[in-house]
Amino acid sequence: MFRPSALPAVTRVQQAGALITAELDARLRRSPDYAAENETLHALAGALTASHTAMLQTLVDTALALCDAGSAGISLREGGAGHASVYRWVAVSGRCADLVGHIIPSDDSPAGVAIAFSAPQLFAYPKRQFDCLARIVLEVTEELVVPVPGTPAPWGALWVMSHDGDHHFDSEHRRILKSLADFTCAALSIAKAKADAETRAVEAEAARNALSEAECAKDNFIATLGHELRGPLAPIESALAAAQKLAAGSPAVLSALAVANRQVQQLKRIVSDLLDASRVRHGKLSVRPAYALLGDIVKDALAAVSDEVERRRHQLHATLPPYPVTVFADAARLTQVISNLLGNAVKYTPHGGVITVQVDAPESGTIPEHDSTPRELVITIRDNGVGIAPDLLPRVFDLFAQSPSARAGAEGGLGLGLSVVKYLVNAHQGQVSISSGGEGKGTEVVLQLPVVHRSDVEHAAPTTHGIQPARILLVDDNADATEALAMLLSLDGHEVKRAQNGPEALSIVETFTPDFALIDIHMPGMDGHELARLLRERGQCASTLLVALTGYARTAGADGGSHGFDCYLLKPPSLEDLADVLRR
């Protein structure tokens, strides 16, 4: 089918008698030289591994040789998509080799006419009909042009020229050029597919890098957000504790403060989840196993949710082994796991609901004395709460995974806790699974932990804040934090001095020798490390216990005295943590 824009050129060459394609079949056909053709096709196959330009040049060299032509070339389409298309001579061989890169019209050219016919065409003296060939110095007695097929449109054309009136093209030359044109189509398709694949690979790599950068930025934001939120929480919690002491005789005030305290604890849990989730993503949430009694761990977890259980009037039933069970685990992290799961059960169970905790473990004393193989502990927590939809179950351990009903019905939460639970359980070489009959049908969580060992461990001492009065120096650039904490400690009978920077703290110790110095690490100007070093150089502070306050993950005593500190506390420090440090 003719392209309408090619009709003038087609009509012109037909009327001039320059289109002599019919003579190809009328001329005496020479015998095919299949041996030479096969050899050149092998060479072409090898050229596929070369560069795009080298491969096309090998093609035109082959066409020149097999057709015994004076010139040969490939014209490929350029432009389109809003721009007028043209043909460029991308590879040329023979007497016209210096014209590589020459551009001809897509319609008023031999290639345009051949493509308009969708078939090979033979032209006599084409220079006389097409102005685009005027740059050829030699006369062109004949030109055989074969379209190079392509999808959705032909790639262009493969052509050979004769500059000698005694050399004419025949049907065998047409057959050879059609074979080479098909090969050209395959080669160009392969090259385009390779280029497209490389482009997609580059785009995919860029997308992966962008996603990685976005994930990193998100993690950094979450970590920074958690760290920044800890700052204001510290003075709020300390101020609430102080207010509760001051309002001991006013039930109405104590009731209001209890509401505020519950909400602060909820905020602390959310902030802790944020920080723990960030540490999980970077593999920095560590466990430090030691021998402990399972009963103490479970009771601490139950105590952590007892206020909410009472407020919601839940029925909480716990069944523990009647004998002592020794575990080799990180007691604090295992308590966190159980209290987190219990907290979810409490949060997602309506008022008056039922929650059960079943603990199954072998008796430590029955394990042979020299058997160090850990036995399995199984903890099952069931509730008759809102349940989990089947489509969410496979994703419950993903970060930020929550069902719409859970978000609507629960108080707070970011969907972070279960991802932290799974990480900590895996760190104990255990497994955690969650099942539910669907929304409104409750939930069951099963923990399987190979942590039971033979060992004799005494029960932990009951927690108390009752400690001997001490001289305490608080150093923090957050004035609210130091004021609230100082008030709370003063109400417990301690003598407290406050400083908002390092130089002020150094001035205070000239006349005040603290038993303990609680120092924020990140302060403008002189930071906590520098202040600790300078305090160590003063003789009056030789016996002072230096405690670092930091918003990042370090546990009390983990530092081992490096950087001048005796131990670290995570901000905001809990009253239990402070009491533990002050007992030293």
Side-chain angles (χ1 to χ4, degrees):
M1 181 181 292
F2 291 122
R3 292 199 311 266
S5 56
L7 283 174
V10 171
T11 302
R12 186 179 69 250
V13 295
Q14 285 178 327
Q15 291 176 347
L19 198 60
I20 59 172
T21 307
E23 293 189 19
L24 289 171
D25 294 313
R27 292 172 178 171
L28 181 65
R29 178 179 180 181
R30 65 188 178 88
S31 299
D33 187 353
Y34 291 120
E37 192 174 342
N38 185 58
E39 183 178 347
T40 55
L41 286 175
H42 275 86
L44 284 173
L48 287 174
T49 61
S51 68
H52 180 71
T53 303
M55 180 269 296
L56 292 177
Q57 188 60 49
T58 302
L59 272 165
V60 297
D61 290 344
T62 301
L64 184 77
L66 291 178
C67 294
D68 195 20
S71 299
I74 293 178
S75 306
L76 293 185
R77 185 181 67 252
E78 291 185 354
H83 302 280
S85 62
V86 296
Y87 292 118
R88 181 185 296 274
W89 289 4
V90 295
V92 184
S93 185
R95 297 185 180 185
C96 294
D98 59 333
L99 293 180
V100 64
H102 180 50
I103 294 176
I104 61 175
S106 61
D107 295 318
D108 195 5
S109 63
V113 172
I115 289 173
F117 278 103
S118 299
Q121 300 298 318
L122 180 63
F123 299 88
Y125 297 98
K127 279 182 61 176
R128 301 174 187 179
Q129 304 299 325
F130 298 101
D131 294 338
C132 61
L133 303 182
R135 289 187 59 188
I136 301 175
V137 176
L138 298 172
E139 181 60 271
V140 181
T141 57
E142 285 187 0
E143 181 178 11
L144 177 58
V145 184
V146 177
V148 177
T151 303
W155 288 97
L158 175 63
W159 50 264
V160 289
M161 292 179 179
S162 174
H163 304 290
D164 182 353
D166 294 331
H167 180 70
H168 302 285
F169 299 114
D170 57 28
S171 59
E172 175 63 14
H173 295 126
R174 178 178 60 190
R175 184 192 67 81
I176 291 172
L177 280 193
K178 285 184 67 177
S179 176
L180 292 177
D182 290 339
F183 187 95
T184 304
C185 171
L188 291 172
S189 298
I190 292 172
K192 183 178 185 301
K194 180 181 177 182
D196 290 345
E198 290 174 348
T199 300
R200 286 193 294 270
V202 170
E203 292 173 349
E205 181 65 21
R208 283 193 296 270
N209 292 337
L211 180 61
S212 177
E213 291 175 3
E215 287 290 324
C216 183
K218 182 188 73 175
D219 290 345
N220 290 337
F221 172 76
I222 289 174
T224 301
L225 177 64
H227 173 63
E228 292 299 323
L229 287 174
R230 279 187 178 275
L233 279 176
I236 293 173
E237 184 180 31
S238 299
L240 282 173
Q244 286 174 321
K245 289 179 178 291
L246 294 171
S250 176
V253 175
L254 286 174
S255 177
L257 291 174
V259 172
N261 187 61
R262 282 197 299 271
Q263 298 308 308
V264 168
Q265 297 310 310
Q266 177 72 0
L267 282 174
K268 284 182 65 178
R269 284 193 292 272
I270 292 174
V271 171
S272 294
D273 281 350
L274 281 171
L275 292 174
D276 282 346
S278 177
R279 296 180 194 120
V280 165
R281 291 294 297 270
H282 293 90
K284 295 181 179 179
L285 190 61
S286 60
V287 296
R288 297 180 176 85
Y291 289 106
L293 284 175
L294 176 62
D296 292 338
I297 293 173
V298 175
K299 289 173 184 176
D300 286 346
L302 292 170
V305 299
S306 60
D307 288 345
E308 279 299 291
V309 168
E310 183 178 351
R311 187 172 71 88
R312 293 170 178 263
R313 296 187 176 88
H314 287 148
Q315 300 177 48
L316 177 58
H317 306 291
T319 304
L320 279 71
Y323 40 79
V325 176
T326 300
V327 294
F328 186 69
D330 188 323
R333 290 303 187 185
L334 195 50
T335 300
Q336 179 183 356
V337 166
I338 300 172
S339 62
N340 187 300
L341 296 174
L342 282 172
N344 280 349
V346 171
K347 187 188 302 183
Y348 298 124
T349 299
H351 282 62
V354 178
I355 301 169
T356 62
V357 181
Q358 176 72 41
V359 180
D360 297 299
E363 186 175 355
S364 301
T366 64
I367 299 175
E369 185 174 353
H370 301 292
D371 187 350
S372 60
T373 303
R375 301 312 199 262
E376 188 173 72
L377 159 70
V378 179
I379 301 177
T380 305
I381 300 174
R382 299 184 183 90
D383 65 64
N384 61 348
V386 299
I388 303 173
D391 60 334
L392 183 64
L393 268 176
R395 299 182 289 109
V396 289
F397 293 110
D398 295 344
L399 287 174
F400 305 106
Q402 276 187 314
S403 67
S405 61
R407 290 193 187 97
E411 298 178 3
L414 299 174
L416 296 170
L418 287 179
S419 64
V420 176
V421 163
K422 184 172 184 179
Y423 180 91
L424 292 175
V425 170
N426 289 342
H428 283 88
Q429 312 303 316
Q431 294 181 338
V432 57
S433 61
I434 296 182
S435 59
S436 173
E439 294 193 21
K441 297 183 179 180
T443 303
E444 177 180 282
V445 184
V446 179
L447 290 174
Q448 296 173 283
L449 299 161
V451 294
V452 179
H453 283 257
R454 178 184 178 86
S455 180
D456 296 324
V457 180
E458 295 182 358
H459 285 284
T463 301
T464 176
H465 298 159
I467 54 177
Q468 294 296 319
R471 295 159 64 86
I472 302 173
L473 173 63
L474 299 178
V475 188
D476 194 328
D477 59 315
N478 187 328
D480 286 342
T482 56
E483 181 179 1
L485 187 55
M487 180 186 300
L488 182 61
L489 293 171
S490 296
L491 289 171
D492 270 349
H494 304 290
E495 183 180 356
V496 183
K497 299 289 185 181
R498 295 184 289 135
Q500 289 187 248
N501 51 60
E504 186 178 350
L506 293 174
S507 176
I508 289 174
V509 298
E510 295 298 327
T511 57
F512 176 79
T513 302
D515 299 310
F516 304 94
L518 278 61
I519 303 170
D520 181 29
I521 289 181
H522 300 287
M523 293 185 294
M526 182 187 299
D527 66 9
H529 294 302
E530 176 68 10
L531 175 58
R533 185 184 65 80
L534 294 175
L535 288 175
R536 287 293 185 210
E537 294 176 355
R538 283 162 168 72
Q540 69 270 32
C541 297
S543 60
T544 299
L545 187 74
L546 301 184
V547 182
L549 300 179
T550 173
Y552 298 97
R554 296 196 79 160
T555 55
D559 186 64
S562 64
H563 299 293
F565 287 107
D566 295 292
C567 60
Y568 281 75
L569 287 182
L570 196 62
K571 293 176 62 177
S574 68
L575 296 179
E576 290 80 4
D577 288 342
L578 283 174
D580 181 63
V581 169
L582 296 182
R583 288 192 194 95
R584 301 185 184 191

